[in-house]
Amino acid sequence: MADHAGDHDSLAETVMEKISDKLQGHDSSSSDSEDDHADKPSADAVKAKIYRLFGRERPVHKVLGGGKPADIFLWRDKKVSGAVVGFATTIWVLFELMEYHLLTLVCHILILALAISFLWSNASTFINKSPPQIPSVILPQDTVLNVASALRIEINRTLAVLREIASGKDVKKFLAVIAGLWVLSVMGNSFNFLTLFYLIVVLLHTVPMLYEKYEDQVDAFAEKAEAEIMKQYAVLNEKYLSKIPKGPLKDKKLA
């Protein structure tokens, strides 16, 4: 009986020890999870403090739209990206280096296509082959209306931005737009429209890809450059811009 009672007591002690161990493990895990939750905002705060170019908060792919155009610019679809750059290069070579004209090129392409189709259709009866199936191409009305609507929205947005800049409310934006237009005028004086368009296509397919690959180094350099630019702008604003009259004084009384 005594042995049976001792075994019962040892069994009860073992069960109590296991329960206490589980409770302690649960408390430690809950405390660890609380510590993790306490540390997470600090990690997010540190991540939020990282400088990104132009105040960017989203990945480059999302900034570019996050769809098929972004995949093409970032070379996620290498075949399509290569085809776009190759087509732009071919057009530039034809019109710029070989001095081809657009109307001449279109006419030659149509002559070649119509001649091949005509000869194939008439020769199919002699060579016992089916004539070519020429597809019927029709522009859908919805697509045309969507494109026109998108262009209208972008044009109205551009006009609104230009109106805001011309009103003199934001000196910084005014100077940035003037500098951008001046750079475009210099480039337009150095290159013709086709070459400028080709350069823009090449830049769109190289700069975003390289920036996404080396964004940490570029952002660090841009942070230093922006700090220096803001310092020079503060000096310029203190010496000259702040002294420019912005309109009639509010305290001026009519005679």
Side-chain angles (χ1 to χ4, degrees), residues 113-125:
L114 291 174
I116 292 175
S117 177
F118 180 82
L119 293 176
W120 189 357
S121 299
N122 286 277
S124 60
T125 57

Side-chain angles (χ1 to χ4, degrees), residues 14-112:
T14 303
V15 172
M16 292 299 294
E17 289 178 357
K18 290 182 178 180
I19 293 174
S20 62
D21 291 339
K22 289 184 178 180
L23 290 175
Q24 290 178 359
H26 177 71
D27 293 338
S28 62
S29 62
S30 62
S31 62
D32 292 339
S33 62
E34 290 177 356
D35 293 338
D36 293 338
H37 287 296
D39 294 339
K40 188 175 181 180
S42 61
D44 293 338
V46 172
K47 186 177 180 180
K49 293 180 181 178
I50 298 177
Y51 176 86
R52 292 303 179 190
L53 193 61
F54 304 118
R56 176 176 58 86
E57 297 180 355
R58 298 180 298 170
V60 180
H61 190 267
K62 294 293 183 182
V63 172
L64 294 176
K68 192 67 175 179
D71 293 338
I72 294 174
F73 291 144
L74 296 175
W75 290 79
R76 303 286 175 84
D77 193 342
K78 295 183 179 180
K79 293 182 178 180
V80 177
S81 300
V84 171
V85 175
F87 177 76
T89 303
T90 303
I91 295 297
W92 181 75
V93 169
L94 286 174
F95 291 114
E96 187 63 24
L97 298 184
M98 300 179 63
E99 297 183 353
Y100 232 97
H101 297 285
L102 178 61
L103 183 60
T104 304
L105 179 63
V106 172
C107 291
H108 286 176
I109 292 176
L110 289 176
I111 289 172
L112 182 62

Side-chain angles (χ1 to χ4, degrees), residues 92 96 187-188 190-200:
W92 181 75
E96 187 63 24
M187 294 179 64
S190 302
F191 309 101
N192 56 25
F193 178 77
L194 181 61
T195 302
L196 183 61
F197 178 77
Y198 176 65
L199 289 176
I200 292 174

Side-chain angles (χ1 to χ4, degrees), residues 226-241:
E226 183 179 1
E228 185 64 26
I229 291 173
M230 294 302 296
K231 186 187 299 183
Q232 297 299 327
Y233 173 77
V235 175
L236 181 65
N237 184 43
E238 182 179 358
K239 289 184 177 180
Y240 305 103
L241 298 179

